[in-house]
Amino acid sequence: MRQTILAVLSLSTMTALLTGCGGDMVLLNSKGPVAQGQSDLMMTAIYLMLLVVIPSIIMALWFGWKYRASNKGADYKPTWTHSTAIEIVVWGIPVIIIGILAWLTWWGSHKYDPYRPLEADKAPLTVQVIAEQFKWIFVYPEQEIATINEIRFPLDTPVALRITSNFTMNSFFIPSLGGQIYAMAGMQTHLNLLATEASPAEGYRGFSSNYSGYGFSQMRFRAHAVTDDQFAQWVSAVKAGNGTSVNPNAVQKTVLDQAEFATLRDGNRGKHQIEALIAKANTPEEKAAAEAMKPYPTKPHPVTYYSSVEQGLFESVINNYMSNYHGADHSAAAGHEATSEAHADVEHATASQGE
């Protein structure tokens, strides 16, 4: 009994720690209709399954007590083989619950389809999202600005996110506003979100929920839901080169074009990988190549604002991986493609030296 009590207390302590010691359970504390609907679906499914789980636990404990060896008053039926009532209960109730869950799944997958535009009185704000190596880049094609590791949008305005990746697969996730969706090179995924509550001063948490390498833990950003006036002021400040007046911790730059975009890839290998390559180098050239490599970041890239952005940058990232298809002209991405090829050559040249 003592061991059982200790085990229960240990599990309770671990549960409290994993939920932030009773803090904000973000998936159950939604700030928008999409996240709220998904949370309601999840809790409804849990409640339905508990209709089987709780009675099963109670009956298991009760049967063990009722038919214990010391209870001489319990019925003893060694020839018992069948009960129609029990069969109806143990099969009928789960079948009904599974049927309800199946209907909820079908309904919810259509209602909260990430590609489905949200109904609202305001026109949606389009934001193009690029998963770069261990950072998130946000392009506002209508406002003609761009940011790194920060996204801002007005309250009660649908946000139409168009998402891709410029390296390995990642997963874009703002838990307070909706579910995650993958960012994949050469592809475009859609996610529609809406915030009904203003974000705290530090913004809602956003991150990549798909492991993508040594710098994966640094792929964090903040999502700020603000008023229409605050959003307009922020856009004006960024376009005027004065975005730090809104966020003093940000870095203000001029234009995000192909040349600037090519410089945003952080590092070549993990620190320990580079050290291993240097130790295993067989020639001075190999050692010099390894020493020239930059390690992956250990801190998130600082929030950066760009007062303008090259037109078609988002499309060029997708086309860079689709250059062999559709006969499209990808000359606009030639500079970035050359940089990517040079990076790939370095990776290929050092890969044979071992990780």
Side-chain angles (χ1 to χ4, degrees):
M1 176 62 71
R2 182 179 178 183
Q3 291 179 339
T4 302
I5 294 175
L6 289 174
V8 171
L9 290 175
S10 299
L11 290 173
S12 300
T13 302
M14 290 176 62
T15 302
L17 290 173
L18 291 173
T19 57
C21 297
D24 182 18
M25 299 179 66
V26 65
L27 294 179
L28 303 180
N29 189 16
S30 307
K31 304 301 181 182
V34 176
Q36 185 61 55
Q38 294 172 341
S39 176
D40 291 344
L41 279 174
M42 179 175 65
M43 295 309 301
T44 300
I46 291 174
Y47 295 147
L48 285 170
M49 290 184 283
L50 288 177
L51 292 177
V52 172
V53 173
I54 292 177
S56 297
I57 294 174
I58 293 174
M59 286 189 292
L61 296 174
W62 181 68
F63 287 164
W65 173 257
K66 179 176 175 60
Y67 296 103
R68 67 192 187 279
S70 60
N71 186 11
K72 304 303 181 181
D75 295 337
Y76 178 62
K77 298 180 180 181
T79 59
W80 182 87
T81 59
H82 179 74
S83 171
T84 301
I86 291 177
E87 292 288 345
I88 291 174
V89 171
V90 300
W91 288 103
I93 293 178
V95 166
I96 293 172
I97 291 176
I98 290 172
I100 296 173
L101 288 173
W103 181 84
L104 283 174
T105 301
W106 179 89
W107 177 82
S109 62
H110 288 79
K111 174 68 173 178
Y112 301 107
D113 179 356
Y115 279 62
R116 180 178 179 176
L118 299 177
E119 298 179 359
D121 296 333
K122 299 180 180 178
L125 170 69
T126 299
V127 180
Q128 298 167 337
V129 184
I130 304 171
E132 183 49 88
Q133 186 166 277
F134 313 128
K135 63 176 65 67
W136 292 97
I137 300 173
F138 301 95
V139 176
Y140 293 74
E142 297 166 357
Q143 289 73 26
E144 299 181 340
I145 62 173
T147 66
I148 296 178
N149 284 349
E150 182 183 283
I151 178 174
R152 289 179 185 259
F153 43 81
L155 281 168
D156 300 316
T157 297
V159 182
L161 298 166
R162 303 294 181 260
I163 304 169
T164 191
S165 175
N166 194 41
F167 74 124
T168 188
M169 183 170 71
N170 272 276
S171 184
F172 182 88
F173 194 17
I174 307 177
S176 296
L177 300 180
Q180 63 86 29
I181 194 165
Y182 286 108
M184 294 171 282
M187 301 178 64
Q188 179 183 175
T189 53
H190 296 190
L191 182 63
N192 292 278
L193 301 176
L194 187 148
T196 55
E197 295 184 26
S199 60
E202 67 275 11
Y204 296 131
R205 289 191 300 122
F207 52 89
S208 171
S209 58
N210 186 82
Y211 180 74
S212 57
Y214 273 76
F216 155 77
S217 60
Q218 312 308 326
M219 289 196 69
R220 304 193 297 269
F221 65 93
R222 288 291 173 173
H224 296 269
V226 297
T227 65
D228 291 346
D229 290 340
Q230 289 174 328
F231 178 74
Q233 291 170 6
W234 173 74
V235 171
S236 298
V238 172
K239 290 178 73 70
N242 191 30
T244 53
S245 63
V246 178
N247 182 356
N249 297 319
V251 176
Q252 177 72 57
K253 292 190 176 183
T254 53
V255 59
L256 178 60
D257 54 12
Q258 293 291 344
E260 172 69 13
F261 186 76
T263 67
L264 295 178
R265 178 153 294 192
D266 285 333
N268 306 102
R269 297 286 179 114
K271 178 181 178 182
H272 299 298
Q273 289 178 312
I274 296 175
E275 291 174 350
L277 289 174
I278 294 173
K280 294 179 180 180
N282 296 319
T283 65
E285 291 76 14
E286 291 178 353
K287 184 176 181 180
E291 291 176 340
M293 291 183 179
K294 295 190 300 181
Y296 290 143
T298 57
K299 295 182 179 180
H301 190 282
V303 173
T304 306
Y305 299 146
Y306 291 93
S307 56
S308 63
V309 61
E310 181 177 308
Q311 187 175 4
L313 178 66
F314 179 78
E315 291 77 8
S316 71
V317 172
I318 298 176
N319 291 337
N320 187 45
Y321 295 89
M322 300 294 289
S323 57
N324 294 327
Y325 299 93
H326 312 307
D329 179 11
H330 307 299
S331 56
H336 177 69
E337 185 173 354
T339 302
S340 300
E341 289 177 354
H343 177 78
D345 290 341
V346 173
E347 291 285 316
H348 179 73
T350 56
S352 60
Q353 301 302 317
E355 298 288 327

